[in-house]
Amino acid sequence: MSETFPAYLISKSDSGQVAELKQITLDELMDGDVIVKVEYSTLNYKDGLALTGKAPVVRRFPLVPGIDFAGSVVSSDHPGFKQGDQVVLNGFGVGEVHSGGYAGMARVKGDWLVALPEGFTPRQAMAVGTAGYTAMLCVMALEQHGVTPESGEVLVTGAAGGVGSVAVSILSRLGYQVTASSGRASQTEYLIGLGAHQVIDRGEFSGKVKPLAKERWAAAIDVAGGNTLANLLSQINYGGAVAACGLAESMDLPASVAPFILRGVTLYGIDSVMASIEKRQRAWQRLAKDLDLEQLEKMIVEIPFEELPAAAAAILEGQVRGRALVRIPS
Ligand code: NDP
């Protein structure tokens, strides 16, 4: 097919990796049994790493970045999808080893797609995006552990970011008392607006890690890793749990085993990329039920397609608030 559409294409040469905005054709996409007209994508932390080349997120070249997208099926050889179906995709290596959402069209495996849940438009689904769906996976892990609003206060770190914002909003809607930890005092009003009962400075978790500290939280959702995760583990109440999904601070975990063996604390690892389709469907159904769409609107920052490279640098510096939505031109 010779029809062209706009796309970012990351290529690699001896001088390094470069992302360019081009017009491409379907022939330049990778194999798959479903072609989707991409309507919306988002800018996630991982996309920031891919577009800037600051970490080896992209492992096949040339590749269209963008780890998630929503749109409508143009053609399908997959039994689960037909022309006109609205779909959403997160992860499965898309935007890393398979061309992704920053293009007018995507060709992917139907096995990776989730039918857009009723009640969501493609725009809203991408306002949720990988970050919001990951926040829901974290909430589900804590619920499965047995954490309830009666258990006590729940801490959310990196609260003004994408995962954090959605986590604060969902937990508060479910009746939890949520403490939001943020490095940006300027975002206090925003976080209270999303339902946080209080906002604390993330500096509280940056000090030297004690094996055990005063018990403060029934549970936590952590996007930071590093000292933050180690410190908050030492503050979890007896029998409590932490859902860890990120490394915004660091990949390291300078913790001791004390919270695990003396307080029975559980650390859940959350991965959104290879989660099963069944788990994804459950998460999206829960999002349709438990996420306040008016609050979701408050989290949206729209990024023009042409400005993605600059926004990629900003998200890595922690300067993007909430959910960064990208409308994909055709
Ligand atoms: P964002 O960039 O939107 O948010 C990250 C937030 O972390 C920032 O807004 C900031 O919040 C906080 N932060 C930044 N730097 C530091 C630091 N040095 N120490 C402590 N906190 C910091 O990213 P996302 O919300 O999209 O993603 C968050 C993390 O989760 C990333 O590491 C990402 O890679 C990971 N992730 C993992 C997934 C998985 O499947 N496991 C899926 C999606 C995301 P504030 O200003 O409020 O302090």
Side-chain angles (χ1 to χ4, degrees), residues 49-77:
L49 293 172
L51 277 168
T52 58
K54 285 222 166 114
V57 166
V58 177
R59 302 184 299 285
R60 189 172 161 192
F61 302 91
L63 176 133
V64 177
I67 64 167
D68 50 16
F69 62 78
S72 49
V73 171
V74 174
S75 66
S76 168
D77 292 323

Side-chain angles (χ1 to χ4, degrees), residues 21-96:
L21 183 51
K22 294 186 163 181
Q23 286 287 325
I24 67 167
T25 67
L26 282 175
D27 294 338
E28 288 165 85
L29 296 179
M30 294 168 189
D31 288 346
D33 50 7
V34 181
I35 296 175
V36 179
K37 179 178 180 328
V38 181
E39 291 171 33
Y40 283 92
S41 184
T42 68
L43 176 68
N44 295 279
Y45 191 86
K46 198 185 254 181
D47 297 313
L49 293 172
L51 277 168
T52 58
K54 285 222 166 114
V57 166
V58 177
R59 302 184 299 285
R60 189 172 161 192
F61 302 91
L63 176 133
V64 177
I67 64 167
D68 50 16
F69 62 78
S72 49
V73 171
V74 174
S75 66
S76 168
D77 292 323
H78 186 282
F81 298 97
K82 58 179 190 321
Q83 189 187 355
D85 285 350
Q86 295 201 305
V87 290
V88 57
L89 190 150
N90 305 93
F92 280 125
V94 166
E96 301 181 59

Side-chain angles (χ1 to χ4, degrees), residues 227-247:
N227 257 46
T228 299
L229 177 54
N231 268 313
L232 73 83
L233 277 167
S234 74
Q235 299 172 5
I236 298 291
N237 297 352
Y238 191 93
V242 177
C245 72
L247 43 56

